[in-house]
Amino acid sequence: MPEIKTNAMRILDKSKIQYKVHMYEGQDKPVSGTQVAAKIGEAAEKVYKTLVAHHGPDYFVFVIPVAEELDLKKAAKAAGVKKIEMLPLKDLQAVTGYIRGGCSPVGMKKLFPTFMDSQAEHLDTLLVSAGKIGAQMELAPQELANQVRGRFASLIRDAEET
């Protein structure tokens, strides 16, 4: 499968950030993050999904492990707002420039406040969408955080809360 440069990859290239591309079959429709991890042969704990939420007109980006669920209370606390809601899927492309299944924290239409789950801090590398379905980028969590001006915070729902 030929590697295609996405906008997110071009941004990392321009910033001279090292990353590795993982391509997988199935660009015709979004698959779950755990399915992506299986397709590229990586542990689900290393593969992260990009979620967008809002508080009124303010948007926030959250990068969490694919098998986990965003805790909206923790997300709101990290963002410094009282309450946060997930962005309706129908608004995702208009707000970010990305579609479901291909939403990368790198290269959105605007640089929204970005928060990465604190588990990522302990990884050598993590994988996030490269900006299109079928492509993942593997890079150091701190490099990603620096690129998107992200901050690490506890964001996922605890097991006993599910």
Side-chain angles (χ1 to χ4, degrees), residues 126-139:
L126 58 73
L127 290 98
V128 293
S129 173
K132 81 186 268 333
I133 297 171
Q136 294 279 309
M137 305 183 300
E138 181 176 3
L139 69 161

Side-chain angles (χ1 to χ4, degrees), residues 33-34 36-38 40 42-49 64-67 123 125-129 136:
T34 50
V36 169
I40 60 174
E42 291 287 347
E45 296 77 30
K46 253 184 96 164
V47 182
Y48 280 59
K49 58 187 170 186
I64 67 169
V66 294
L123 298 173
T125 60
L126 58 73
L127 290 98
V128 293
S129 173
Q136 294 279 309

